[in-house]
Amino acid sequence: MLVILCFAPRFKLWQSFDLPEVDRYYDTLRQLENPFEDITNHVSRVNQWRLFFPFVGNLTGLSEWQFTTIPFLGCIATLFYIVILCQRAGMPIRDSLLLSTLLAMSPWYFVSTGWLAYFDSWVVFFMLVAAFSQNRIAVVTACLIAPWIDERFVLALPVLLVVRATWNDRIKAHPGAMSTMIPLIGIATSVYLVIRLIALATGTDPVAHTYAREHLALIQSIPITNLLWGVWFGHRIAWLFCIYFLYHCFKTYRRATFAVYSLAILLTTVGALVIAGDMHRSLEMLFPVCLAGALLSRDLLPSRFTYALAAAVVLSAILPARHQLWQESYPIHSLAYELQRERPSTSERVHAGIGRSSHMAAEGDFAGAMLIANKVLEIDQRAIEPRLHRAQLLASTGNFDLAEQDLVAASELNPSSADAAFFYGSMALQHGRYATALAKFQEALRLGGEDWPNRADCQAAVHLLTRPPEE
């Protein structure tokens, strides 16, 4: 409750179409309906292999709202598991509450509660299980499932093993626990890796090559200041726990071991900044280090640990937070601020939806474009723009009969619309229905008047259709 009061989702904007809160939402709903459907637009292309929850949702018949609650349930599960680990480390209830509150003021929580159908909370949950759990079945299950939620789990494996080794020493686990667990983690995770490699080798991976090409072209334009802000907003105050974790390793292990552990954390940090545009999310890969550092730091201030945690919570609540992407930044405001925010108007939502649908169609994702077009039409059944847009999509895919139904409906809704008549004529012309096209273009000229923006194009079309055949 405290985190939501200080850092609330922009819930009033969930009805829009062109914001990170909903960018992938509708594509993920398509996966819910058909987990193996190809996703061609660049925003959601990486979701092609993130099949676990869409597959489970499809198999169990989850509704749209039930599926959308999964990330919120993941937040509860993750915080609950953090408290369990705190209790096992001997923390009193008040310290467990303070630490879980502090660690909830992180991107994984902000994204899972604010960006619809982003499952970061579950990725973090399975990372913690892989790093801290002494139950082999739980660890193997986490390594089998998590890569199919987000491949960042695989990239975080070196850090997870570092945390596991350090924590095993802290709790004085069985001397052979680490040597037993490493093969299990490797075998369980390799299932995902082998499937991806086979798909890549056989040319059946629709994601890797395209993503890499687009990624390398874009990464060169990132301002260095954005990368630095990305580092900070990845963990904010919790970076202190990462620093203490490294200090603990420096004091505890030989120099070679410390160097290996430090290199793993450093490379993961650098990798998190460059593997994806939403770099603040990628830095979640270091979250187990933050938690381990927090649990270990009790030894530094045994009598004042509660006060230090309370001060960190207050400071974290006061300091600004935001979603820091390569090229964009979205501040995270308080609940009071979000309650006063105005919802987007119907016309703004329609305009945003048509723009998003048009962009997806331009990228060749006509199924996704049609999904958005249908959603836009549900917003305002009386507006003609959504019908004209959907008619254009249908006609571009050869469904002229269905497109014609939308054009007729648009003309009936607004008989004086020159645009409806013009679009009708254009589609009729494309499909060789010249008499219909001429009639509609002439009607558009009559309705549009002298100042109508499409008048010149319409006159050219009429001239083309009425000119005598050449000898």
Side-chain angles (χ1 to χ4, degrees):
M1 291 178 63
L2 176 61
V3 173
I4 295 297
L5 284 173
C6 296
F7 304 105
R10 300 194 300 180
F11 57 89
K12 290 187 178 181
L13 302 183
W14 285 347
Q15 297 177 324
S16 188
F17 295 93
D18 56 349
L19 297 169
E21 282 86 348
V22 290
D23 254 350
R24 292 182 182 172
Y25 178 59
Y26 296 105
D27 290 321
T28 310
L29 293 183
R30 290 163 60 193
Q31 285 185 296
L32 176 63
E33 184 176 346
N34 178 10
F36 303 106
E37 178 181 350
D38 286 341
I39 300 175
T40 55
N41 73 79
H42 78 281
V43 172
S44 304
R45 187 179 291 118
V46 293
N47 278 19
Q48 194 73 60
W49 289 99
R50 298 173 182 177
L51 295 170
F52 179 73
F53 284 119
F55 183 79
V56 171
N58 178 274
L59 190 65
T60 57
L62 293 183
S63 66
E64 179 179 324
W65 75 266
Q66 290 170 331
F67 183 73
T68 307
T69 63
I70 293 176
F72 296 86
L73 297 176
C75 290
I76 297 173
T78 302
L79 294 177
F80 188 74
Y81 190 60
I82 289 173
V83 171
I84 289 176
L85 293 173
C86 291
Q87 295 290 284
R88 290 176 180 172
M91 278 192 185
I93 289 293
R94 64 175 183 275
D95 290 358
S96 302
L97 175 62
L98 288 169
L99 182 56
S100 60
T101 303
L102 176 62
L103 295 179
M105 296 182 185
S106 302
W108 69 268
Y109 191 88
F110 300 150
V111 169
S112 298
T113 56
W115 293 10
L116 300 181
Y118 276 73
F119 302 100
D120 294 47
S121 57
W122 286 106
V123 178
V124 169
F125 173 78
F126 286 122
M127 283 182 184
L128 296 182
V129 171
F132 291 95
S133 177
Q134 302 303 307
N135 186 307
R136 296 178 184 178
I137 295 177
V139 172
V140 169
T141 301
C143 294
L144 285 172
I145 292 176
W148 300 100
I149 301 175
D150 196 311
E151 57 280 352
R152 288 179 176 91
F153 179 88
V154 178
L155 300 175
L157 274 181
V159 165
L160 300 183
L161 292 175
V162 167
V163 173
R164 171 167 285 279
T166 306
W167 191 244
N168 280 359
D169 292 341
R170 176 68 171 78
I171 63 175
K172 296 180 173 57
H174 187 275
M178 193 66 185
S179 60
T180 303
M181 199 66 77
I182 289 178
L184 292 176
I185 292 174
I187 293 171
T189 309
S190 66
V191 174
Y192 174 83
L193 290 174
V194 168
I195 294 175
R196 287 297 303 267
L197 288 173
I198 291 175
L200 190 63
T202 57
T204 56
D205 185 343
V207 178
H209 290 301
T210 305
Y211 180 81
R213 183 177 64 254
E214 295 175 350
H215 194 77
L216 292 174
L218 183 60
I219 197 173
Q220 303 174 36
S221 62
I222 309 171
I224 187 66
T225 52
N226 284 11
L227 294 175
L228 295 176
W229 281 121
V231 172
W232 167 246
F233 286 109
H235 293 290
R236 299 194 304 143
I237 295 299
W239 277 115
L240 295 175
F241 295 136
C242 290
I243 294 172
Y244 183 79
F245 180 86
L246 287 173
Y247 174 75
H248 172 84
C249 293
F250 176 77
K251 298 289 290 184
T252 305
Y253 300 110
R254 292 179 299 178
R255 293 296 175 263
T257 303
F258 170 72
V260 171
Y261 288 4
S262 300
L263 184 62
I265 293 173
L266 176 62
L267 291 178
T268 302
T269 303
V270 174
L273 296 177
V274 299
I275 61 172
D278 43 5
M279 52 187 168
H280 69 305
R281 291 181 59 223
S282 298
L283 283 163
E284 296 164 1
M285 295 189 291
L286 293 179
F287 188 79
V289 178
C290 293
L291 177 56
L295 297 176
L296 293 168
S297 63
R298 289 187 67 215
D299 299 335
L300 184 65
L301 298 169
S303 61
R304 299 178 180 176
F305 187 67
T306 301
Y307 301 107
L309 275 183
V313 169
V314 172
L315 189 59
S316 189
I318 293 174
L319 289 174
R322 66 176 186 236
H323 300 287
Q324 182 62 55
L325 285 66
W326 280 351
Q327 305 288 358
E328 304 165 85
S329 180
Y330 300 91
I332 307 172
H333 298 290
S334 66
L335 180 61
Y337 182 97
E338 294 301 331
L339 288 173
Q340 296 176 13
R341 183 190 295 273
E342 292 187 5
R343 297 182 185 275
S345 66
T346 298
S347 62
E348 289 173 335
R349 294 171 62 198
V350 167
H351 178 76
I354 292 175
R356 177 75 177 124
S357 179
S358 300
H359 185 71
M360 294 172 74
E363 292 186 331
D365 187 6
F366 289 100
M370 186 58 65
L371 176 66
I372 300 296
N374 291 333
K375 291 287 184 181
V376 172
L377 192 57
E378 292 174 5
I379 295 174
D380 190 353
Q381 294 281 349
R382 303 295 301 174
I384 67 168
E385 289 82 2
R387 292 191 181 276
L388 295 178
H389 171 67
R390 190 171 71 173
Q392 287 181 302
L393 288 178
L394 290 168
S396 66
T397 55
N399 295 309
F400 185 72
D401 291 339
L402 293 177
E404 191 171 25
Q405 293 178 17
D406 274 334
L407 290 170
V408 170
S411 298
E412 291 175 350
L413 287 169
N414 188 355
S416 62
S417 172
D419 288 332
F422 178 66
F423 289 143
Y424 199 156
S426 299
M427 293 179 196
L429 180 62
Q430 292 173 8
H431 289 78
R433 299 172 58 176
Y434 302 120
T436 301
L438 177 59
K440 288 299 177 181
F441 284 135
Q442 290 173 337
E443 180 183 353
L445 286 175
R446 177 176 57 82
L447 295 172
E450 294 296 329
D451 297 328
W452 179 47
N454 291 323
R455 185 172 184 80
D457 291 335
C458 196
Q459 286 176 328
V462 170
H463 177 72
L464 175 67
L465 291 170
T466 57
R467 70 182 182 181
E470 295 181 357
E471 293 295 335

